[in-house]
Amino acid sequence: MAAGAPGLAAGEGQSFAQGAPGAEPFPGPETTGQGPAESTGAQAGGRSKRRTALVAAAAVLACLLTTAAQTYDGHVFYEKTTEKETKEIVVAAGQAGKVNGVEWKAALSRTDAPPDSTHGPEVTWLRVDISRKVVDKGSATMVAEPTDVQVQDRAGRIWTAPIEAVGDRPTDRLVVGREYKIQGLAIVPTPVANEVELSFRPSNYRSDTPTDELFTREGAEKLVPDVEVLRFRRR
């Protein structure tokens, strides 16, 4: 899989909610709203609200697209996942998972629906909290956000969770030992809100990789394979 640069939504730049074959389509909210944000003043607060509103909007879009194109998107999703090797690493609740010299922690928690949301109690909004910490100096240039960020229930149904980095951070090299925060939102049917688990694929992108090498087979083969997928237990 070719390297990917950091971005707002999980996956390949556009959010989709996928369902397992035969799963009942899940209709999503029809309005956008605000998610979790951090603010240090009026101006910063405005930027933070706009940023997290985009995350919330992407989460809503993910659910709306389930109804519109579930069959097609489901086919594409399963086709894509079978085309690339995946090594799932299950992380115990409250613990950290380590991939390529970076420690990852993640948690899901219920959060209030946006005030202007017209959707009812049939859905639950979940806040996604992810943190990463470089523990190996050689991995400091792995600055990209994770991809394929999603939540999955026991029946195999999947909902994409758009994410956004919290606060300013270096774009070339992360500080070893410092935690960097990522937040996002997911919308799931209320009956499965307590059982869905978060997973994502840590990116193999390195900021010190020459740009021209990213578009060649030889350059791609030099990258660390992004075959690991972290799945975080909730209990």
Side-chain angles (χ1 to χ4, degrees):
M1 174 179 177
L8 168 65
E12 299 177 352
Q14 186 176 17
S15 301
F16 296 96
Q18 285 88 15
E24 189 69 18
F26 167 52
E30 298 179 355
T31 57
T32 62
Q34 299 174 359
E38 294 185 2
S39 174
T40 58
Q43 184 176 3
R47 289 197 302 268
S48 181
K49 288 179 181 178
R50 288 193 296 271
R51 181 191 69 202
T52 52
L54 288 174
V55 177
V60 173
L61 177 62
C63 291
L64 291 175
L65 288 173
T66 304
T67 302
Q70 180 177 357
T71 302
Y72 173 77
D73 291 339
H75 169 73
V76 172
F77 174 77
Y78 286 104
E79 183 178 65
K80 285 171 60 179
T81 55
T82 55
E83 287 178 353
K84 58 186 177 184
E85 181 183 355
T86 294
K87 175 185 176 183
E88 185 174 83
I89 300 174
V90 177
V91 183
Q95 300 301 307
K98 183 178 178 181
V99 176
N100 299 327
V102 180
E103 282 189 354
W104 297 87
K105 293 182 180 180
L108 293 173
S109 59
R110 291 178 181 242
T111 190
D112 294 335
D116 57 349
S117 173
T118 60
H119 222 65
E122 67 272 18
V123 303
T124 294
W125 291 68
L126 296 177
R127 169 172 159 165
V128 176
D129 287 289
I130 301 173
S131 66
R132 66 174 168 193
K133 179 173 64 175
V134 176
V135 294
D136 197 345
K137 185 178 179 180
S139 298
T141 59
M142 304 191 79
V143 298
E145 312 301 353
T147 62
D148 298 346
V149 185
Q150 57 194 27
V151 294
Q152 181 175 343
D153 69 3
R154 294 168 187 163
R157 293 182 299 175
I158 294 169
W159 294 272
T160 297
I163 59 169
E164 176 63 49
V166 176
D168 296 330
R169 67 185 59 196
T171 57
D172 55 346
R173 180 177 293 271
L174 302 178
V175 178
V176 177
R178 177 180 297 178
E179 279 198 344
Y180 294 90
K181 304 291 185 180
I182 301 168
Q183 287 183 349
L185 290 173
I187 313 172
V188 301
T190 296
V192 300
N194 291 328
E195 73 176 59
V196 292
E197 293 181 339
L198 179 73
S199 67
F200 56 78
R201 186 183 298 269
S203 174
N204 63 351
Y205 171 77
R206 287 181 176 273
S207 62
D208 54 355
T209 302
T211 304
D212 55 350
E213 289 190 9
L214 295 176
F215 302 98
T216 65
R217 179 183 297 273
E218 294 76 13
E221 290 175 348
K222 294 179 182 179
L223 295 171
V224 176
D226 61 342
V227 299
E228 289 88 358
V229 170
L230 292 172
R231 178 178 298 278
F232 293 84
R233 298 298 190 201
R234 299 184 67 183
R235 57 179 61 85

